[in-house]
Amino acid sequence: MAQARFVGAIDQGTTSTRFMVFDHSGSEVVRHQLEHTQILPRAGWVEHNPIEIWERTSAVVQTALAKARLGAHDLAAVGITNQRETTIVWDRRTGRPLSSAIVWQDTRTDAIAAALERDGRGDVIRHRAGLPPATYFSGGKLQWILENVPGAREAAERGDALFGTPDTWVLWNLTGGPDGGVHVTDVTNASRTMLMDLETLDWDDELLGFFGVPRAMLPQIRESSATTPYGLTRANGPFGGEVPITGILGDQQAATVGQVCFAPGEAKNTYGTGNFMLLNTGTEIVRSTSGLLTTPAYQLGDQPCVYALEGSIAVTGSAVQWLRDQLGIISGAAESEALARQVDDNGGVYFVPAFSGLFAPHWRSDARGAIVGLSRYNTNAHVARATLEAICYQSRDVIEAMAADSGVALEVLKVDGGVTLNGLCMQIQADVLGVPVSRPVVPETTALGAAYAAGLSVGYWHDTDELRQNWREDTRWEPQWDEERRAAGYAQWHKAVQRTLGWVEVAER
Ligand SMILES: Nc1ncnc2c1ncn2[C@@H]1O[C@H](COP(=O)(O)OP(=O)(O)O)[C@@H](O)[C@H]1O
Ligand SMILES: O=P(O)(O)OC[C@H](O)CO
């Protein structure tokens, strides 16, 4: 049989789902993308409808394949990448979700997270799972469903309820759903639950006990680039034939692979709804003392797991959406650049978009957003500029923490994601950091990384050296500010962050 010409990747993200097809050079052949509903039932709650997510996944696959006149036989393999931590529980007999998906941004579990700090459980989680107890991760969300959705705990204990992050949900449905669906996740996704031991790469009974989670509802944890396929797409599903599914990676880890950060010391920063910076630390587990996460970066086939330090920032591109949707001062995200360019500096205004508290390196769920330093002189343009600066200052906070933990000083920052279309923002990033910022030709590094993981598994690509050949720089921004301006701006940013801390009380449990 002739070798299939392409590799596909499903990217199930926070705001949309896309399916992309890549050729051997890593170039895009076709894509289709659909948004899904953001359900915001009350302050701090963010939900998705898992059925809508599955329907949109099916639709983007079918439409993209039809656009390029491709069929299942054209694809050597398919990879899945996904928004991480978002928690779905469903009935294995019917495929019906027991509740809405609780999204990573949702803060309803703040009391659960705060309670974990008591009795030393927080330190156990920090050491074993590499994560600070926070609303962000799946364990507390799963506990909340088991405690609050009628019948959920009984179904879980009977073995009828299954848990998964979106990778697992999509894989289960692609491989047959109630009719033999495969219940699997990979190390990168499993590591975001607070339930997995970073060293054994398996679920940990003591951690399961902290959250009251029955093991029977958890997926099998596999490598990110499969030694043998996780499963085959069903012929009666969106691919219309059987394609091996051989790559699974959380979206930020996938972007790390897509940016070919395969050597210790290599890092990437993805600018989407939030920002996520990952620094490859090799096969060594580096435990952060500066507010970063320790997380698997990828596990390729039967090779040892490669780890990363991660700085997760909850609100970056979504602050630009907030200017558009809530303040109405721009009509589209791209307009933030033109508006901010009307002024030469921030006019003293600093915006700390702590809408979901502050993630790395602060981990303060009691923080809330603030715009400070306003005087009558300020305009919408200063607020737009402060929004772009906030994206860059938050990234600097994370990069400083990485330097403290790893001793690695960045020489260049590799970037990707929607916000990197904003040239002013990327210039400010170089200015704020004092290091160049570099964006690759293929900006869709997340889908590309999942395709790479899938393609490596089936021999479509031979090794990571071959993938490195595909990476090319598109644009580079050099720092322009002098050291004095850089230091003064950063000092003011820190003052602004201090103003947001302790703003709300976290309920006792
Ligand atoms: N030109 C732009 N300037 C600033 N922000 C932008 C621009 N274009 C897109 N964005 C922001 O990028 C985000 C979308 O990027 P994307 O990588 O698709 O994110 P995600 O994968 O998180 O959905 C949105 O939050 C949007 O506000
Ligand atoms: O879907 P994105 O790109 O917003 O990424 C979300 C992250 O995976 C959350 O941890």
Side-chain angles (χ1 to χ4, degrees), residues 399-482:
I399 288 165
E400 299 277 343
M402 268 180 190
D405 275 344
S406 68
V408 174
L410 272 190
E411 284 170 17
V412 60
L413 180 66
K414 280 182 170 180
V415 301
D416 53 68
V419 180
T420 66
L421 298 172
N422 190 314
L424 176 62
C425 188
M426 293 301 100
Q427 181 58 53
I428 296 171
Q429 185 67 86
D431 291 337
V432 158
L433 288 176
V435 298
V437 168
S438 165
R439 189 180 61 197
V441 171
V442 178
E444 299 294 347
T445 54
T446 300
L448 183 61
Y452 281 167
L456 281 173
S457 163
V458 296
Y460 182 83
W461 289 289
H462 291 106
D463 53 29
T464 52
D465 287 342
E466 192 178 355
L467 302 179
R468 270 193 190 282
Q469 312 298 320
N470 288 345
W471 194 94
R472 304 245 184 295
E473 181 172 272
D474 176 62
T475 312
R476 178 175 282 240
W477 291 269
E478 298 289 342
Q480 292 174 352
W481 288 0
D482 61 27

Side-chain angles (χ1 to χ4, degrees), residues 179-197:
D179 181 20
V182 174
H183 191 218
V184 159
T185 189
D186 89 306
V187 289
T188 66
N189 278 293
S191 76
R192 318 295 293 196
T193 57
M194 299 197 273
L195 305 175
M196 190 191 87
D197 182 329

Side-chain angles (χ1 to χ4, degrees), residues 317 320-321 323-324 329-341 384 388 418-419 421-425:
V320 176
Q321 288 173 333
L323 298 184
R324 182 194 66 191
I329 63 172
I330 52 174
S331 58
E335 230 180 276
S336 62
E337 179 164 359
L339 183 58
R341 278 193 191 279
L388 302 183
V419 180
L421 298 172
N422 190 314
L424 176 62
C425 188

Side-chain angles (χ1 to χ4, degrees), residues 69 79 97 214 248 269 365 429 464 466 499 506:
R69 298 176 188 278
I248 300 179
N269 200 15
S365 53
Q429 185 67 86
T464 52
E466 192 178 355
R499 301 289 188 275
V506 173

